[in-house]
Amino acid sequence: MSTITVPPMLPPVQQDCQALHHAFKGFGCDEKHVIQILAHRNYLQRRELVNAYRSMYGEDLLRRLEKELHGNLEVSLVSQELRVRILKSIFQQAVLLWMMEPAERDAVLIRDAMKGLGTKDKTLIEIICSRTPSQLYYIRQAYQTKYHRSLDKDIQSDTSGDYRKLLLAFASGQRPEGPHVDMHLADADARELYRAGEGRLGTDESTFIRVFSTRSAAQLHAAFAAYKHLYKRDIDKAIKRETSGDFEDALRLIVKSVTRPGRYFAKVLYDSMKRMGTDDSTLIRVVVTRAEQDMQYIKADFYQKYKKPLESMISGDTSGNYKHFLLSLVGGH
């Protein structure tokens, strides 16, 4: 359910390359023309564009975009000392992430979430716990290739406890895929999850980790439905009562990504824009990673929950070519 609009009569890729090359020439970059092309090409077309640009001009298109979509110069007086620093343009960040291959993009986002002091756990949880086993397989490969580091080892060193165990189990990508559901197993899993949580004093976290990380999305969906049928409450509420912290957040995201991912991502988008100032990194991450996946569903859930179009909120919270680019990705004007 992509929101990307591709022209019905697509020009040859060489023509797109020439148009981009022309947009880069002269004083300043014609950013509107760049958006007109890049925001209206699907993943395979963008990959073909990158390869053709290198062949025609002997230059990596992403590196050229990084140079052309430069940051702003900020001058500030701090402690009577003049500091000058280049701010990376949020528009540049959005375009570069959009142009990456999906697995590499997720690897970059995961690495950014773990590097430096502290961990951006919400980003880490969102990517690892909402991707399919196949996607996680390619993310692990891309992470190793790009950073020459093991994703497992970085998760191991940056997290702890049951939260770490759950992330490592999910990142392994060993869960089955496909629509097949065993209703007897779903019923057994529901009962086991109850006994591990609400049905006892304290919580058996290992049972939650094992069930959540070894069942397909379809099988988990059936288990959650069985839980509600048997115990008259959503498993999400049980998790909220029985667990806490990052472990709780990860389990609840898995439930939401299995039952109704559109509603989850709609809330993340709304939260990124509801306060004074915009959480641009979150807004960019969700728009760029979901535009070709399920953005139509996210938009529908956004409107249903907040009674306003997603495009309207983005338009009121962003500006310039950054706004134009995001609106193009979500199917706005």
Side-chain angles (χ1 to χ4, degrees):
M1 293 297 289
S2 170
T3 48
I4 304 305
T5 56
V6 176
M9 296 292 291
L10 198 66
V13 66
Q14 293 81 6
Q15 189 174 322
D16 275 347
C17 290
Q18 290 170 352
L20 285 172
H21 194 64
H22 181 75
F24 298 149
K25 285 186 173 181
F27 183 73
C29 172
D30 184 352
E31 294 178 343
K32 284 185 170 56
H33 205 108
V34 171
I35 294 170
Q36 186 179 346
I37 297 170
L38 300 185
H40 298 284
R41 302 293 184 269
N42 65 32
Y43 158 64
L44 292 176
Q45 291 160 352
R46 297 194 305 277
R47 186 170 67 174
E48 186 182 10
L49 186 56
V50 169
N51 293 333
Y53 194 90
R54 183 184 293 110
S55 176
M56 291 174 66
Y57 300 107
E59 186 176 18
D60 185 278
L61 179 57
L62 270 72
R63 289 188 183 276
R64 185 62 188 265
L65 286 166
E66 189 170 11
K67 286 193 296 184
E68 296 292 339
L69 310 177
H70 51 73
N72 302 314
L73 190 67
E74 180 188 62
V75 181
S76 58
L77 192 63
V78 179
S79 302
Q80 298 182 340
E81 293 181 2
L82 190 66
R83 288 194 319 177
V84 179
R85 60 194 178 106
I86 301 296
L87 299 178
K88 190 173 183 180
S89 162
I90 51 176
F91 172 53
Q92 177 199 65
Q93 180 187 345
V95 173
L96 291 178
L97 282 173
W98 176 243
M99 291 301 294
M100 291 179 185
E101 298 210 9
E104 181 187 9
R105 180 170 61 215
D106 280 343
V108 167
L109 291 168
I110 289 172
R111 180 66 188 145
D112 181 67
M114 291 192 288
K115 71 181 181 182
L117 189 63
T119 304
K120 300 173 185 174
D121 290 293
K122 287 187 177 180
T123 302
L124 192 59
I125 291 167
E126 180 185 300
I127 295 172
I128 291 177
C129 295
S130 69
R131 301 307 190 250
T132 67
S134 298
Q135 288 170 330
L136 285 164
Y137 171 80
Y138 290 112
I139 291 167
R140 288 161 65 91
Q141 286 190 324
Y143 194 92
Q144 180 70 49
T145 300
K146 190 170 184 67
Y147 299 111
H148 307 289
R149 303 169 67 96
S150 162
L151 177 57
D152 284 357
K153 287 183 179 178
D154 280 354
I155 292 173
Q156 187 88 20
S157 63
D158 253 60
T159 59
S160 61
D162 294 311
Y163 170 51
R164 172 200 287 165
K165 292 175 186 176
L166 181 63
L167 287 185
L168 288 172
F170 254 73
S172 70
Q174 296 302 309
R175 292 172 295 136
E177 292 188 65
H180 175 72
V181 171
D182 181 335
M183 294 309 298
H184 293 292
L185 179 61
D187 187 76
D189 282 345
R191 296 176 187 277
E192 192 169 7
L193 289 170
Y194 179 79
R195 289 194 296 269
E198 292 185 296
R200 58 174 285 166
L201 184 63
T203 306
D204 178 7
E205 289 86 355
S206 62
T207 296
F208 279 87
I209 294 169
R210 179 178 55 77
V211 173
F212 276 54
S213 65
T214 59
R215 305 291 188 256
S216 69
Q219 188 66 48
L220 281 177
H221 196 287
F224 299 156
Y227 193 100
K228 184 169 185 179
H229 175 75
L230 288 167
Y231 305 110
K232 311 306 177 190
R233 68 170 60 85
D234 290 330
I235 194 168
D236 183 63
K237 292 181 179 177
I239 291 168
K240 193 173 182 179
R241 288 177 56 185
E242 297 295 321
T243 60
S244 61
D246 294 324
F247 184 59
E248 175 197 339
D249 291 341
L251 288 177
R252 294 184 69 197
L253 189 147
I254 294 164
V255 172
K256 291 167 186 172
S257 68
V258 164
T259 56
R260 196 160 183 180
R263 182 170 292 182
Y264 167 79
F265 286 110
K267 185 178 187 307
V268 174
L269 286 169
Y270 181 79
D271 288 347
S272 74
M273 295 181 281
K274 69 180 181 181
R275 298 182 182 88
M276 184 71 71
T278 305
D279 180 356
D280 291 295
S281 62
T282 298
L283 178 60
I284 291 168
R285 182 182 74 246
V286 175
V287 169
V288 166
T289 60
R290 308 310 297 189
E292 290 184 283
Q293 299 292 321
D294 52 2
M295 186 56 74
Q296 290 284 17
Y297 292 122
I298 294 170
K299 285 170 63 175
D301 280 321
F302 192 97
Y303 187 81
Q304 183 181 47
K305 186 172 179 64
Y306 303 110
K307 309 306 177 193
K308 64 173 70 177
L310 174 61
E311 299 94 324
S312 174
M313 197 158 182
I314 289 175
S315 186
D317 232 57
T318 58
S319 61
N321 289 324
Y322 172 49
K323 174 175 75 173
H324 181 36
F325 183 68
L326 292 183
L327 288 176
S328 296
L329 297 191
V330 301
H333 296 296

